[in-house]
Structure formats: structure tokens, C-alpha cells
Amino acid sequence: MSETTDQLPTDIEALQALVAAACAERDAAIAKCDAAIAKCDAAIAKCDAAIAERDQALSQMDRLQHLLRQLQRAQFGRRSEKLDPEQLQLAIEDIEQAIASDEAAQDRKDTAGARQRAERRRASRGALPAHLPHIDVTIAPEVTCCPCCRAPLHVIGEETSRRLDVVPAQFRVIVTHRPKYACRACTDGVVQAPAPERLIKGGLPTEAMVAHVLVAKYAWHLPLYRQAQMLLAQGIDIKRSVLAFWVGYAAAELRPLWLRLRETILTARNIAVDETTAPVLDPGRGRTKKGFFWAIARDDRPWGGADPPAVAYTYAPGRGAVHALKLLDGYRGIVQCDGYTVYKTIANTAPDAAITLAFCWAHLRRRFFDVVQDGPAPIASEALERIAALYAVEKTIRGRSADERRAVRQERSKPQVAALKAWFEQQLTRVSGKATIAEHIRYALNHWGGLTRFLDDGRIELDTNIVERSIRPLVLNRKNALFAGHDEGAENWACIASLIETCKLCGVEPQAYLTDVLTRLVNLWPASRLDELMPWAWSAEQANSLTA
């Protein structure tokens, strides 16, 4: 201690300089320490942000995994566990809403991030349709004088944004005046314009109103009692029974057009056929009976054909061969279908082998899906992989001509199909004849001729998805309406649904179509010109009138 003290300078100025240097060194050390602490705090904040982001990502991942499990159950689950496609859409909506809610919370906390997300939305939201009415709203500053010199400001530019708005459905009353004109010189010169024809004479609705009810019921699946409640909410008291009366009148007017649509589809070289149950009230027994909707559809788009897509439904009180024979009476061509025995009966009894069956690979694939779901199933898994290879080829030729599709199938699909058949035969010798997998393999081999018919005809699809997709709206309507009131009601259902679903396939807005078509029909449209009222022809006429 004494040695250190002895080394200190004795001069006061030197001591002051030494103390100042020590203080500066101390202050530098403190500043360095503060900088290190600030850096640690920033790192901790960054770590906290990363942890929050990770937690959010984990939460979102949990939601997505839940959705994935629902998707897997929907596709591969047991029949009792499979989700309805509409229920699955509800699950997806819930998850999307939760993700949007999280993003909204982030926007409130992070304004810079909110601006970035807003820019991304603007870049990806797309353009609104040009035909919509545009309402211009100008928002100007309250004061348009210069804050410095108070001189008036002038416009040098503007920012413009577009948002989608809605005006609730507005019901109105059409008041028709038909003045009478008389001659002052005589008593016999009274002139008056004739009253326009109406769908329902003496009734309240215009054809547009009736079309609105039809589209709400058969396109958007709103039962009539719900529509009556929605009307009552706007002060319009129209009973469900009255709405049903309107629907019956419209169906009677549209019936010739529906029959012509079905005739038109049956002229196609290739159609797809399917059926679904249609519960119908049976008053005599106090319960419902099981009827069926039979659907026939054509879709030439996959091979570039000229005929527009269309679907027609027919109600029948049963599922037997007699109803299918009536449905396809006189048809000559290829029928794509599942392995239901009734279709085989039709093909076998058709004169001159007029009907050729092409079976659906999707139905075969579903059989192996069910097996895979029950546990490890190497044979079923490999069958699925081999079938998936055929669909991979189809994906590359969708939209090409029939000849091109056939050539590619002969080159790429035919060897795979031959190998699959040999593999099926080999596996059949290895498994128990009573096993489920053996049953599915035998199904494939027993239907092999129809399953492989697509190889020699580019117009044939691998499956019947076109008609299966067209069946889904009927199923959803059936869930909402529960059952048809009687056989004639089910037939009306088939009539109107045929026209609406064909409109959807052709990209035609059903409300505008039915309004115009009903108006033309009640004004005695010639039966010889019904083809001009088909959805695709009507759409072409509307397009031509706009360009004229």
C-alpha cells in the first residue's frame, strides 16, 4: 500500500489529471456496460418476439393439423366417420376465421407490419367486375387553404381505392298502367294495349320474383319456409304454401325445356350416369319412401369437344332396371358408370349392342382407400399407387384432342394397365379368397373390360366425376328439405335442378336465365325453338346482343 502511495505524484495538477483519467476510464467502462446491457435487452426483445412468433406458428400449425386430420377422415375414414363435404367447408371456414382474427390482433400491435400486410392484400386481391355499379365518394380535407400563407390549395393528384359494398335485396312493386283511349266523334273507338302475359294469372309475382324463389331453393338450398321467414323480416307476408304454388307453376312451364334438355344429352356419344336416393313422403304409411334421382351428364371439355356440358335429372320411384331402361331408352353410345348390375343389364339387353359400358376407376380406388384406413395394407397401398400413376398421365392430356389422348394412353397408360392386371392376378393367389382385399381385386378383374375401355377412346374419362359432382347439389338440398312432399314434387325438383345445374356448368347466372326464359315461355315461345333457350344457347345470344 505504501509502495503504491509513494508512486503517486505529489503535484496537485498531476493528481487532478490522474483522477480525471480514472473517471474517464470509469465512465467509458460504464458506457460500454450500458451498451452491452442495451444490446442484451434488444436480444431479449428479439428473442421474445421470436418466441411469440413461434407460439403463433405452433397455434396455427395445430389448427392446420386439425384440418388435415379432418381431411383424412373425410377421404379415408370409415363410412360412419367420413365428413360431409359441406361440413368440411365449415371446418375450413372456422380455421380461416381464426387465422384472420390473429392477424387482426397483430395489426393493432404492429402498425408497420399492418401496412406491409395491407400492401400484400392490395397486390393479390384481384379486380372487381367491371359491370358492377360504381359509386364515387370524394373525401376532401375540411380546410383547403395553405397552412402557411392561407392561399387556396389546388389538386395535384389523388389516391383511389375500391371496395366491395352491398345493398340488401330490395323487393319492389311493379305498377302497370294501361290507359284507355276513346274517340270523341264516335262510341266504338276505344283502344287499350293488351295486358302482358303472366306466369300466374291474377297472382302477385313477376317472372323475376318466381325465378328468385327457384334459384334460392334449388341453387342455394334455401327451403321455402326459410324464404317465407326472410320475406316476413322485410314486412312481406307470403306463406310457404303460396311460394310452393309459384314453384309448381314454374315447373309446369319449364317442363318442355327440361325434357328437351334430356333429349339433347342423350344424343351425345358419351354420357355419365349415376343415381342417389330421394326420400319422398308417403302419406298412406305416415312415413317416407325411398325414391331415386337418376342423373345423366355430358362433358366434352376434357377432350376439347364442341358440345357444351349439361346435366339432367329424372325422378323414379325405384332403382331397378326398369327405371334405368326407361331413362336410357333409345340411347346409342358409351355409358360411363359404376359397377351397378342394372347398367350391365341395360348394356346386355340393348339391341345391336348399342350401349357400351365404361366403368369408373374412382369407385375402384375407393375400395382400396377403405382397406388402407383399417391398418397397414401393403397390397391396397400399392394398388393405390398404381392407380395414381394412371391419373398422373390423365393430368398431362386434359383438354387435348381425343386422338392425342388416345395416342398418349396407348403409349404410357396401356403398359401400366397390363402390369396392374398381372399384379392383381398374382396377388389374388396370395391372399385368402374370403379376405376383403380379394373381394376388391375380383371386382377389378370382373370389370376389367369396362375399366380399360378408356385406352381405346380418347373421349372416355377415367371416372364419372362429372356426374358425381352434379349429384352433390341434390344431396345438399335433400339435407335441407329432408324429403319431397310427393312423387310429382320430386319430379318438379328434378326439372328445375336440371336447368339450374346446367347453367352452373355453362357459367350462366341462373337468376337472369330463368327470369328471361320464363318470360319468353309465358309469351308462347314456339316449341320448335326450345333449343334456343338452352343455357349455352341463351348465353351466346346474350353475348351477341352486348357486342352488337
Side-chain angles (χ1 to χ4, degrees):
M1 182 70 177
S2 60
E3 293 179 358
T4 304
T5 305
D6 292 341
Q7 293 176 358
L8 293 174
T10 57
D11 183 36
I12 292 177
E13 292 181 357
L15 283 171
Q16 288 176 340
L18 184 63
V19 170
C23 289
E25 186 177 347
R26 180 205 62 189
D27 291 341
I30 291 173
K32 188 175 181 180
C33 184
D34 288 343
I37 291 172
K39 191 174 182 180
C40 287
D41 289 341
I44 291 172
K46 189 175 181 180
C47 185
D48 289 341
I51 291 173
E53 188 176 347
R54 181 208 62 186
D55 291 342
Q56 181 188 356
L58 288 174
S59 176
Q60 186 169 340
M61 185 176 69
D62 288 342
R63 294 192 188 100
L64 295 175
Q65 285 177 339
H66 175 67
L67 173 60
L68 178 61
R69 287 192 293 271
Q70 289 182 313
L71 285 167
Q72 289 172 332
R73 282 202 303 273
Q75 189 171 22
F76 305 115
R78 296 176 183 272
R79 188 176 299 275
S80 60
E81 296 176 353
K82 287 186 179 180
L83 291 177
D84 180 85
E86 299 300 324
Q87 291 177 321
L88 192 59
Q89 290 297 323
L90 293 175
I92 294 173
E93 289 172 13
D94 289 341
I95 290 174
E96 290 169 340
Q97 291 167 17
I99 293 173
S101 178
D102 291 344
E103 189 171 305
Q106 291 178 39
D107 286 350
R108 288 191 292 270
K109 296 177 182 177
D110 180 12
T111 55
R115 285 193 295 271
Q116 293 177 356
R117 284 186 283 272
E119 290 299 328
R120 287 199 297 269
R121 290 189 201 106
R122 290 191 188 97
S124 61
R125 68 184 183 182
L128 293 171
H131 71 272
L132 294 179
H134 284 55
I135 309 299
D136 290 311
V137 178
T138 301
I139 304 176
E142 293 183 2
V143 178
T144 58
C145 295
C146 177
C148 299
C149 65
R150 310 305 298 173
L153 300 174
H154 65 279
V155 177
I156 61 172
E158 69 176 11
E159 292 182 359
T160 303
S161 64
R162 290 174 173 81
R163 295 190 300 162
L164 185 63
D165 192 26
V166 61
V167 176
Q170 183 181 31
F171 296 93
R172 60 186 185 179
V173 178
I174 303 295
V175 181
T176 303
H177 300 274
R178 293 192 300 126
K180 297 179 180 180
Y181 297 87
C183 177
R184 294 184 183 276
C186 61
T187 58
D188 298 328
V190 178
V191 176
Q192 185 183 31
E197 291 292 335
R198 297 184 179 186
L199 174 64
I200 302 174
K201 292 179 173 57
L204 279 175
T206 63
E207 286 68 42
M209 182 64 196
V210 176
H212 172 79
V213 173
L214 296 179
V215 172
K217 177 176 173 61
Y218 295 106
W220 314 129
H221 320 297
L222 281 173
L224 294 181
Y225 78 89
R226 291 185 193 168
Q227 294 191 52
Q229 292 171 348
M230 295 167 70
L231 288 168
L232 188 60
Q234 298 203 38
I236 305 171
D237 187 8
I238 298 179
K239 305 300 183 186
R240 179 204 50 77
S241 58
V242 175
L243 297 179
F245 184 77
W246 297 356
V247 172
Y249 255 78
E253 200 68 43
L254 293 169
R255 182 180 175 83
L257 191 58
W258 165 54
L259 295 176
R260 179 57 187 157
L261 173 65
R262 195 168 62 183
E263 291 175 3
T264 302
I265 295 175
L266 289 175
T267 62
R269 181 79 178 94
N270 180 23
I271 62 172
V273 184
D274 201 1
E275 75 286 334
T276 188
T277 56
V280 176
L281 191 63
D282 190 359
R285 297 191 299 167
R287 55 180 180 176
T288 60
K289 61 183 179 181
K290 185 182 288 188
F292 285 86
F293 282 126
W294 295 77
I296 56 173
R298 75 174 183 195
D299 189 0
D300 295 350
R301 292 173 296 180
W303 54 273
D307 289 338
V311 62
Y313 308 104
T314 301
Y315 170 75
R319 195 189 179 205
V322 61
H323 304 295
L325 285 168
K326 184 178 179 181
L327 177 73
L328 299 176
D329 184 32
Y331 177 70
R332 306 180 69 85
I334 297 167
V335 174
Q336 292 193 254
C337 56
D338 56 26
Y340 184 35
T341 55
V342 162
Y343 300 124
K344 301 173 190 174
T345 302
I346 295 173
N348 293 333
T349 57
D352 303 324
I355 292 178
T356 303
L357 299 184
F359 294 124
C360 175
W361 282 87
H363 282 80
L364 175 62
R365 184 174 56 181
R366 278 186 214 123
R367 290 172 170 262
F368 295 110
F369 276 154
D370 293 339
V371 175
V372 169
Q373 179 59 27
D374 291 337
I379 295 177
S381 297
E382 185 170 348
L384 291 177
E385 292 175 4
R386 289 172 177 263
I387 295 173
L390 296 177
Y391 274 91
V393 174
E394 291 301 302
K395 189 175 180 180
T396 65
I397 59 176
R398 184 164 297 277
R400 295 165 67 176
S401 70
D403 291 338
E404 289 179 294
R405 282 157 61 94
R406 181 184 181 281
V408 173
R409 287 169 173 175
Q410 289 289 314
E411 178 186 352
R412 297 177 56 188
S413 300
K414 190 172 184 178
Q416 295 181 21
V417 168
L420 178 57
K421 182 181 182 182
W423 182 79
F424 272 149
E425 292 171 342
Q426 180 187 9
Q427 301 308 314
L428 196 58
T429 63
R430 297 175 52 198
V431 299
S432 168
K434 297 181 179 180
T436 302
I437 191 69
E439 176 187 342
H440 298 333
I441 293 175
R442 283 195 296 270
Y443 173 88
L445 294 175
N446 291 338
H447 295 82
W448 201 252
L451 286 170
T452 58
R453 193 147 284 130
F454 76 100
L455 295 172
D456 298 315
D457 193 332
R459 296 168 298 183
I460 299 177
E461 280 287 272
L462 214 57
D463 51 42
T464 60
N465 282 351
I466 172 61
V467 73
E468 288 198 22
R469 287 192 297 267
S470 299
I471 285 287
R472 289 173 189 166
L474 293 181
V475 175
L476 185 56
N477 236 17
R478 183 178 66 205
K479 287 184 177 180
N480 286 340
L482 299 181
F483 50 80
H486 49 78
D487 288 343
E488 186 175 344
E491 188 166 292
N492 291 342
W493 183 350
C495 167
I496 300 169
S498 298
L499 295 170
I500 287 178
E501 292 306 318
T502 299
C503 280
K504 291 182 183 180
L505 287 173
C506 295
V508 175
E509 202 280 296
Q511 169 78 39
Y513 170 77
L514 287 176
T515 299
D516 187 54
V517 166
L518 282 172
T519 302
R520 297 192 193 194
L521 289 173
V522 299
N523 282 282
L524 305 179
W525 185 266
S528 60
R529 296 173 58 193
L530 286 177
D531 286 354
E532 298 175 33
L533 299 185
M534 292 299 163
W536 54 87
W538 182 88
S539 177
E541 178 193 352
Q542 298 299 308
N544 292 336
S545 65
L546 290 175
T547 57

